[in-house]
Amino acid sequence: MVSDDFRRQVDGYGLTTAHILYRLPDHPSLLQAYVWQDYDLCPKFPVLNKFLEFWLNKLEGPLHSVTVAHARLIKPAEIRAVNGEFRLH
């Protein structure tokens, strides 16, 4: 059985990491860091945007900044047919 994560990667999803800085509700001059990571589609990032929408609607800490890194783990050039086989022993 194929895992859901692998299936998403084949469908074009890549690993997305967001470094989120937000202000503490009781001390707005202080910043706290939060790291979010999930599979998402670049460049629109629908999964990250859904999470940030949840953050804005449900959590008290106002966002300061969001830095995003994205990497496709499976690329077309990495999948190729094997022409031969070598055996040791």
Side-chain angles (χ1 to χ4, degrees):
M1 189 160 106
V2 177
S3 73
D4 290 336
D5 290 339
F6 180 74
R7 190 180 313 267
R8 290 172 77 185
Q9 291 176 41
V10 171
D11 289 339
Y13 283 76
L15 188 61
T16 302
T17 304
H19 183 256
I20 300 168
L21 289 177
Y22 64 97
R23 297 190 183 280
L24 295 176
D26 296 339
H27 303 284
S29 61
L30 296 177
L31 292 176
Q32 181 76 23
Y34 180 81
V35 176
W36 175 92
Q37 195 170 53
D38 202 348
Y39 292 104
D40 208 349
L41 290 169
C42 182
K44 294 189 178 184
F45 300 109
V47 180
L48 176 59
N49 283 318
K50 182 178 178 183
F51 174 75
L52 292 176
E53 183 179 327
F54 165 80
W55 184 297
L56 294 172
N57 292 330
K58 303 290 183 182
L59 302 179
E60 294 182 14
L63 295 175
H64 175 269
S65 62
V66 178
T67 305
V68 179
H70 177 81
R72 290 198 57 185
L73 301 178
I74 296 178
K75 300 173 186 163
E78 293 181 22
I79 300 173
R80 58 185 175 269
V82 176
N83 292 336
E85 182 177 330
F86 296 98
R87 293 182 185 229
L88 296 175
H89 301 264

